[in-house]
Amino acid sequence: MAVNLQVVSQLLGASLDPRQNKQGKTNRRTGWLQSVCFGKLKLHKLSIHGPELMYSIAEIAIHQEEKKPGFSLSLLQIVASDSYPNTTRLASSLLFKNFIKRNWTDEEGNYKLPQNEVVAIKQELIGLMISVPPAIQSQLGEAISVVADSDFWERWDTLVDDLVSRLSPDDAVVNNGVLQVAHSIFKRWRPLFRSDDLFTEINHVLSRFGAPFLSLLENTDHMIEQNQGDKLALQQSFSTLNLILKLFYDLSSQDLPPIFEENLSAITSLLHKYLTYDNPILHTDDDAESGPQEFVKAGICEVLVLYVQKYEDAFGPLLGQFVSSSWNLLTTVGPEPKYDILISKALQFLTAVARIQQHAQGFNNESTLGQVVEKVILPNLSLRETDIELFEDEPIEFIRRDLEGSDSDTRRRAATDFLRQLMEQFEKLVTEVVFRYIDHYLTEYSKDPSNQWKAKDTAVYLFSSIAAKGVTTTSQGLKSVNTYVDVVDFFQKNIASELISDTGVEPILKVDAIKYLYNFRSQMTKEQWQDAFPLLVKHLGSSNYVVYTYAAIAVERILYLTNDAREPIIGKADVLPLSKDLLEHLFKLIEAESAPEKIQENEFLMRCVMRVLIVVREGVVSITDSVLAHFIKITRIISQNPSNPRFYYYHFEALGAFAAPSQPEKLENALYAPFAGVLANDVQEFMPYVFQLFAALLEANPAASLSEYYQGLIPPIIQPTLWESKGNVPALVRLLSSIIPRGASEIAKNNQIEPILGIFQNLISKKTSESYGFDLLESVIASFSPTALQSYFVPMLTIMLTRLQNSRTENFSLRFVRFYHFISAREDEGLGADFFISITEQVQANIFTNLYLNVYLPETQKLARPLDRKTAVVSLTKTLADSHAFAERYALKGWGLTCNALLKLLENPPLPVTTDDAIPDQDVDDLGFGVGFTQLNTCRKVAKDPWPEIVDAKKWVGQYLKAADGRYNGRVNRFVQERLSPEARQVLVSYMRG
């Protein structure tokens, strides 16, 4: 059935959800069962009313429309038509982008859409993006990037010619659309590693795009010259110039294009022209709003940084004019926020210049450095009124900008980086020059602390800038410091008083003091921290938002801090007496306002909660009820509108830390209702976390029977819809694998084995999920008797062998080998090598020999995980000892080859699994929220050893084979003498005698 445009447009209108649109994405509902029974708790999905009901129904209906042929082209028709409201067109572009992300190609790169639809999309998409409003352009640009990632350039070799053909000599609007498309494709080169394929692609682009691109740059310069008094035309031309600069960076990001090198003098002449260009007509009236000139000049500085860092040999002779002009900009541009982006980029350029020894020598004298500090560093490092306003009016934004590493485009950060780079080159001289200013500002503060507190802030910031060396790590802070300063002495003499005093200290100075400890935490001894830590905890009680938040940030990092022996600086014994009051106070701060967006605004507080719970571990048991009540309350509130991924990541990590040492049955009962609510209300952002926590609670209590709650959870989680989201898969496999052992009898009784194996079949067909498919299958086989699974073994193995033959990967091969040993090692459970052989023979006669010789034996040696190697040792040993097939059918060669493989494994025997109590620190900024699965580290699954009784593998092998020799009337010893080389015979006999 064809797609009805009118129906789709109406559904798009009904599906508009401010929460989702605000996040810049569509969230296609998984469409849970409309009425799902979770044990005793019946949750009706469609018991909601009004707009929410319409939204849910519309999303489900759109999901049905997606299955019709030509759906993507229908969306583009809606996007292209002026007859639809802009909100509907935007919603259509959002849905088109996400549809393309899901449905363009499979894992093998094959198109999932019909060929005619693929061709039509490529033909229409470029022209459409050029013609639509900017908000829609950005969505279509992302879709083009997805298509380009798959198809460009070999399957879309007409794209560059198409773009070039659309460039206009006098239409800036059209040119801007073309350049936006080009940038959306070429920007993906920036972070890639060099490769022949990448350079082939870049050369393909340059051969077609390079000359027209430079002509466009020249033509844009002419357009600007011709329209000096036409504001609209100038704005459009500067937008073109800004995009040209982005593309210039894209095209230069991997190597210096020959066409650019040949024309470098002319190009840099234009770059310098617009770095120094100023036309009052382009000035903005708002001091906080950057104008076209600021963006273009900042873009030029970005290009300059790239060329200084990568192409200094070609660019070096042209560098001087840019250094002078950048210096002029830095010393003449005002303090208004609209210039922040320009100033920070100009400082980054000078930082790059100072990194090169020969260019840095221009700064190598006391007088010049004094001017640098006075005219460039201090004006951009000192607090401005706008900074104070941000501190007071938008405290969470102030914190995020101020934190190390998150403020790379602020004046303060850029000025600090420039100063540190100069210090790396001339450490002693820079220290001496800067200390004169530090002493000056400290003196000014001492004369009038109430009115000169900004001088103290500047002094502390200056000292921190020159004291720090190297990179600040998330775990340890600054590990290396300037040898000409004493950070602890400076703290004791000039900073500690701010933390000790309860009154009369400006909040910003308290923040400076806390941040100082946070940054230099590794420079203080454990004894010094015993005195300083209570001061940090005390400041959690501050009434100032920034102060108590920074205190939480510092407390969390100090609790994570360890010495070189991995011993905590502040241990459990120090924290446990404070934990109840500390947690209650943190929860009070988090819950100060009841709106979902306000509760989850401050992720730093929840991260501190998480760290306290990790440290105290089982010490939390005495306050379980109180902590649990807070978690349940917060979960219910934020699930109404998840808006801060970092907050809810820490929230669920904290829950994982809390659940680990606590009573699992109690927590199962308490958390089931809010978690089931998350699932029933389709809060997709939370689902992978909830599945992991459900699984962790089940794993903590493996001997218990499966409660009615979890029995009721099985039907919905084995429905295919939930598994469509890649982010759900790892957590769902873990959950289902933890349910199966406890609920095997109920699953068998309810005929749910087959749907579970259907999930296995789907997972194993894809490279990205093949490992999870094997995990699920191993859980099934370990939990059900061979009799219960008898009718499934042949189909399961057929699926695996087909995949092995048609789409084999290294990981699949290793998991297939591991699966063989998983079966072969369980001879005492009705499985074993002979069982596996009988199954393979039903698939195809004599296929086992080929598999064993060409897959199982060679790939076994590649197994890396200790438990996998241990399983292989058990498998091979039991094959040698107990397999009738290897004693009779494969006795001539198979027994000896198996023994040789076993001996080779034992050259590097698997070690006992050790328990590591350390929970790895997760760098949240590296997480792809909303894109894939996010592991909860506090409740990660612990690898289970199926054979804990085997401690010394060599000794066990010898004992097992010796016992088998007795059971089978000397058969093992006879084979050892007949089928092994003298060397192998000597080794194995030593094991059996040992």
Side-chain angles (χ1 to χ4, degrees), residues 39 81 85 126 140 155 173 182 203 222 258-259 327 392 434 506 556 562 646 672 899 911 959 981:
S81 175
I126 304 301
L140 295 183
R155 293 200 297 189
V173 174
N203 288 332
H222 294 325
I259 193 170
W327 177 268
E392 295 171 348
V434 172
E506 277 290 327
E556 189 275 330
T562 59
R646 285 173 174 76
Y672 192 87
C899 191
L911 300 173
Q959 291 174 340
S981 67

Side-chain angles (χ1 to χ4, degrees), residues 91-377:
S92 186
S93 68
L94 282 162
L95 183 55
F96 175 79
K97 174 191 72 176
N98 289 328
F99 179 83
I100 292 299
K101 285 182 176 180
R102 295 191 306 270
N103 297 294
W104 189 250
T105 57
D106 61 20
E107 292 178 338
E108 305 296 332
N110 302 311
Y111 293 123
K112 296 170 71 174
L113 299 175
Q115 185 64 30
N116 64 329
E117 197 168 337
V118 168
V119 172
I121 288 172
K122 290 181 184 178
Q123 288 175 342
E124 299 297 327
L125 199 49
I126 304 301
L128 180 57
M129 179 176 168
I130 291 170
S131 65
V132 294
I136 298 176
Q137 264 189 354
S138 65
Q139 304 305 324
L140 295 183
E142 289 189 51
I144 289 173
S145 294
V146 172
V147 175
D149 279 340
S150 163
D151 290 16
F152 187 72
W153 63 281
E154 291 178 328
R155 293 200 297 189
W156 200 3
D157 58 358
T158 60
L159 171 62
V160 181
D161 293 331
D162 186 10
L163 292 173
V164 171
S165 71
R166 296 175 187 273
L167 290 172
S168 166
D170 55 10
D171 191 334
V173 174
V174 170
N175 289 338
N176 291 347
V178 172
L179 296 177
Q180 191 68 54
V181 172
H183 177 54
S184 71
I185 297 168
F186 304 155
K187 68 181 179 182
R188 63 197 174 90
W189 297 336
R190 296 188 181 194
L192 299 180
F193 291 108
R194 299 166 69 94
S195 69
D196 291 343
D197 288 343
L198 175 60
F199 277 86
T200 300
E201 180 180 319
I202 294 173
N203 288 332
H204 166 82
V205 171
L206 288 169
S207 66
R208 291 161 170 77
F209 192 72
F213 174 74
L214 290 183
S215 296
L216 180 63
L217 171 59
E218 186 178 1
N219 192 55
T220 302
D221 174 50
H222 294 325
M223 292 290 291
I224 292 172
E225 288 293 338
Q226 293 169 12
N227 294 283
Q228 294 290 337
D230 186 335
K231 183 174 182 178
L232 179 60
L234 270 183
Q235 287 175 331
Q236 291 175 342
S237 293
F238 263 76
S239 293
T240 305
L241 187 55
N242 192 33
L243 285 165
I244 286 173
L245 290 166
K246 291 179 180 179
L247 278 161
F248 190 79
Y249 194 110
D250 298 338
L251 295 167
S252 305
S253 60
Q254 290 291 333
D255 203 355
L256 178 58
I259 193 170
F260 291 178
E261 187 171 11
E262 293 164 9
N263 295 276
L264 196 56
S265 179
I267 292 171
T268 54
S269 177
L270 282 176
L271 294 180
H272 186 258
K273 173 181 177 179
Y274 288 103
L275 184 63
T276 57
Y277 180 91
D278 185 54
N279 189 332
I281 202 172
L282 292 176
H283 291 183
T284 58
D285 297 328
D286 187 345
D287 285 346
E289 181 187 357
S290 300
Q293 291 183 141
E294 286 74 54
F295 286 119
V296 164
K297 291 178 182 182
I300 290 170
C301 289
E302 280 195 86
V303 168
L304 295 177
V305 170
L306 175 69
Y307 271 65
V308 168
Q309 290 175 339
K310 297 194 71 169
Y311 314 121
E312 193 274 336
D313 54 339
F315 182 57
L318 305 166
L319 188 59
Q321 58 184 337
F322 291 102
V323 174
S324 300
S325 298
S326 298
W327 177 268
N328 187 55
L329 274 175
L330 290 167
T331 55
T332 57
V333 168
E336 294 82 7
K338 66 181 178 181
Y339 299 120
D340 286 1
I341 182 68
L342 170 57
I343 294 298
S344 65
K345 295 299 182 185
L347 282 166
Q348 288 169 25
F349 166 58
L350 289 185
T351 303
V353 172
R355 194 169 284 119
I356 300 171
Q357 182 67 34
Q358 67 187 75
H359 299 306
Q361 289 304 317
F363 300 103
N364 189 15
N365 67 77
E366 188 174 338
S367 175
T368 302
L369 284 173
Q371 290 185 56
V372 168
V373 174
E374 197 159 318
K375 295 183 178 181
V376 175
I377 301 298

Side-chain angles (χ1 to χ4, degrees), residues 504-565:
V505 178
E506 277 290 327
I508 287 182
L509 292 186
K510 283 193 173 288
V511 170
D512 288 343
I514 295 169
K515 189 180 179 186
Y516 188 95
L517 288 176
Y518 165 80
N519 284 332
F520 295 105
R521 55 189 179 272
S522 290
Q523 303 303 314
M524 296 175 61
T525 65
K526 183 168 185 174
E527 291 70 29
Q528 289 166 338
W529 269 119
Q530 295 297 320
D531 295 330
F533 186 72
L535 296 176
L536 291 178
V537 173
K538 182 184 76 171
H539 281 82
L540 287 170
S542 170
S543 60
N544 184 278
Y545 188 103
V546 181
V547 173
Y548 70 65
T549 300
Y550 249 114
I553 292 168
V555 166
E556 189 275 330
R557 287 291 80 189
I558 305 313
L559 291 180
Y560 184 75
L561 187 64
T562 59
N563 60 20
D564 293 337

Side-chain angles (χ1 to χ4, degrees), residues 6 63 238 335 416 422 525 559 573 685 875 926 956:
Q6 195 61 36
H63 185 35
F238 263 76
T416 299
L422 290 172
T525 65
L559 291 180
E685 298 90 336
S875 161
D926 291 338
W956 177 85

